[in-house]
Amino acid sequence: MKRQLSQLQRLLVAGIYIFIIVMIDGLLNGGIADILNQSEAASVWFFSGILLIIMGMYVTEPYFSSPTDTLSNSISLILVLLAITNRQELNGYVELLVYAVCMFILSIFHMIVKNYNEKAKRISFWCLKHLGSSKTMFSVVYLVSAFSFFRDNTPMLFAAIALWICMVPIGLVESIIAQFSQLMGIIKEKDIDSCIGVAIKNSESNLYTISVPKTDEKEKLVSSSRNSVYAVKVDSDSYCLGIETQRKNLIDSIWISIMLLDNAELEITLSDLEDIGININYTENLGAAHVLNEGKIKQSILEQLKSSTIFMERDDFIGFVLPESNVSTIRFNTCKIDEMRLTEGTIVKTHIAGSEVLYQVINGITKIASNSADSEYGYMCAVARKLGHYDAEHHEIKHVNWTPKVYEPVYLCKVNRDIDLQEIAKTSIGRLPGSDMSIPIKNINALVTHNTAVLGILGVGKSCLTFELIKKIVAAGIKVICLDITNQYASDNGLYKYIPEAQIVSDLLQEKIDELESQSMRTGTSDSKSSWGNVENFKKLMESAVSGFMDANNKSVMVLNPEKYIVRQAATDFRITELKDVSLVEKVQIISEIVLKKCMDLGQIDRARCCVVYEEAHSLTPEFNSVVVKDDNSHANGTAKVILQGRKYGLGCIIVTQRTANVTKSILNQCNTIFALRVFDDTGKSFLENYIGRDYSDTLPTLEERHAIAIGKGIGLKQPVILQLNDMKYLQTNDGEEIVEKNECVDVETEEITPNL
């Protein structure tokens, strides 16, 4: 591969090769007179080697060959070949002549079609570039003539081939010239004054602003120093080392902010300046700053640099804490960072009294500041909420008191590229965004008995998150009853992907549903309400189903769709003449009360026993202003009462809804654990603001896919946190157990699967 040489160096290389080729021929083949005689065989070898390969590679075509170069090369080769008198001695003479003529014709063809046919232009250009260069064309002639004319002169043949190898594939002489040039540059290199400027501002004791004059020498020093180490004179006889945090361009100077390193042993005295590569013979002003050449820093000091947090994490440094931060949030300026790496939910870290503390970015504010009287600049101020210290052993976030000091460095949390996402999905509900810091369900019993809400608009993954929660609840030996009017849970796109189908009771048998419907038209006397309709039959059917499910050892989940059950009752309390449908909300109340009664019969317990999932809860337990039937207010309150009383008997619920405003607050207010996915409506945001605060509620409309704001006892979070939820592909597993009929249920007495209820 050819090195980048100057024009003078290329001419020197060409001259050296010409000298070598003349000397080889003179020593091994008889002298220069034969070379200059075009009738001699040696002249073909000489002209193809010197005038064509060497002059082409190093003078006329040092970088690439153009079509016009190929045209001139082909003409030169044709003339050389036609000038040979003893053509029969040159092996492949005709072939070489045809090759030269083809390159000539192709060059003319390219010049004609280049403005008319793009594809033909590109194909012909490629052929000319690779087959028509002087290096290619005359290497062929050189090697053919060497084999043809020197086959009886073995030393000359080997010398000619060795010379070609040195010239074309290796480029030996040009490599030697390039290395020699580099050595001379090092020898002639002068020591440059490493001082770049003087501090004009000192914020606290660790942040200096250096003014660098815009001269050629100073700009050259700082142009490639962004990751370098600096030395700043902090008092009359010592210097401290630091790193660059940001720079600003002014009209006549450059301002560089330097943060001093946090290792007290890195304070350099005047007598030790040579240890960091500084040579000065004059007294500098306080605040003088030098950019250091790490190759000249003493090894012992380089080792001390590695003990500095600021130095070792300088690639993740993004800013420093600004004034007006408080115990719950910090503000920090963003500098030295790719903006794509910082967004809502990003985890950053800083230190409070020496302890590492995590914060989560929740907002960004643009601001303007002044460099001087006539210059302003804009910058981004990020706002981050305090999370606490992450305990990696127990996978939990622990609270840390107080707030970091002003100008404390802020860093991005490093991302472990070898994250085992599948293992995290097995043990946790998600992780802090972009990290390997998993957030497990810390208290599965509290998740159930203290109730959980999964909130978010349509299509953001509420059901998938709910399926994952059910999977983990079932794994803890807790029964789950799902009231699902979407028909998604008991399907191949529902729980069957998360839990073995054999463990799921997918609703009542159709014959029982049909029988219930036939009983719904029953009529009685005008003064006996219980003799009308099938409410009592419905209650008995539900009691049997719930009791059988709760007592069974081989069933974990039961899915019921209340909308499928046709239940009617007397339209009035007195003088009854007609029937009316029992509303969906009342059927949900009936089922909830039956579940509570079963749990009460089993006795009080200090752990979770059963979880009821209310899918589309805005339809099952609506707010008072969202009811369709007037009496549904009392029925929704009845369901809320069940949830309120259920905790001591191990009963709790999961509320799943896309319309937070339309769910009765009597139930939502009892939910201790919240998973809030993307939400747009103001009512929903206002409700969630009471749980997660104004700053987090403002981020709800912009949450990314598979992200949620979570808080609550079930996941051990005392403050809201944006979580990156597990990928569904790590959760949708089936243990491969034998699949049984979906409509099987449990016989209460035998605890065996039977085909009827």
Side-chain angles (χ1 to χ4, degrees), residues 272-329:
D272 296 329
L273 285 180
E274 290 187 0
D275 292 346
I276 57 174
I278 296 179
N279 296 298
I280 55 174
N281 53 11
Y282 57 90
T283 302
E284 290 189 311
N285 295 326
L286 284 176
H290 295 256
V291 58
L292 305 184
N293 182 342
E294 291 191 33
K296 296 181 179 181
I297 299 177
K298 194 175 180 180
Q299 186 62 35
S300 60
I301 295 179
L302 287 175
E303 292 299 322
Q304 291 175 11
L305 282 173
K306 294 179 181 178
S307 66
S308 167
T309 302
I310 297 175
F311 178 78
M312 293 305 295
E313 299 193 21
R314 63 189 186 276
D315 291 338
D316 295 311
F317 171 82
I318 56 172
F320 40 80
V321 177
L322 294 175
E324 300 183 12
S325 298
N326 56 48
V327 293
S328 60
T329 60

Side-chain angles (χ1 to χ4, degrees), residues 104-121:
F104 174 80
I105 295 172
L106 188 59
S107 300
I108 300 298
F109 173 79
H110 176 80
M111 295 177 185
I112 294 173
V113 303
K114 66 179 181 179
N115 295 325
Y116 302 101
N117 191 312
E118 182 65 24
K119 189 170 184 179
K121 169 190 169 183

Side-chain angles (χ1 to χ4, degrees), residues 314-346:
R314 63 189 186 276
D315 291 338
D316 295 311
F317 171 82
I318 56 172
F320 40 80
V321 177
L322 294 175
E324 300 183 12
S325 298
N326 56 48
V327 293
S328 60
T329 60
I330 61 170
R331 295 170 179 261
F332 63 92
N333 68 323
T334 59
C335 54
K336 202 178 178 182
I337 180 174
D338 180 355
E339 292 181 358
M340 295 301 292
R341 299 173 68 194
L342 193 66
T343 183
E344 302 98 313
T346 300

Side-chain angles (χ1 to χ4, degrees), residues 17 53 135-136 138-140 142-143 158-171:
Y17 277 129
I53 296 180
K135 179 171 68 174
T136 302
F138 298 113
S139 287
V140 174
Y142 178 93
L143 294 173
F158 277 104
I161 295 174
L163 179 60
W164 178 82
I165 292 172
C166 291
M167 283 192 300
V168 181
I170 299 177

Side-chain angles (χ1 to χ4, degrees), residues 42-78:
S43 66
V44 178
W45 171 77
F46 173 78
F47 283 110
S48 64
I50 291 182
L51 297 182
L52 304 175
I53 296 180
I54 297 174
M55 298 304 290
M57 288 177 61
Y58 298 104
V59 181
T60 61
E61 303 172 34
Y63 303 112
F64 67 94
S65 299
S66 66
T68 53
D69 291 328
T70 302
L71 181 64
S72 60
N73 291 337
S74 60
I75 293 173
S76 300
L77 180 55
I78 291 171

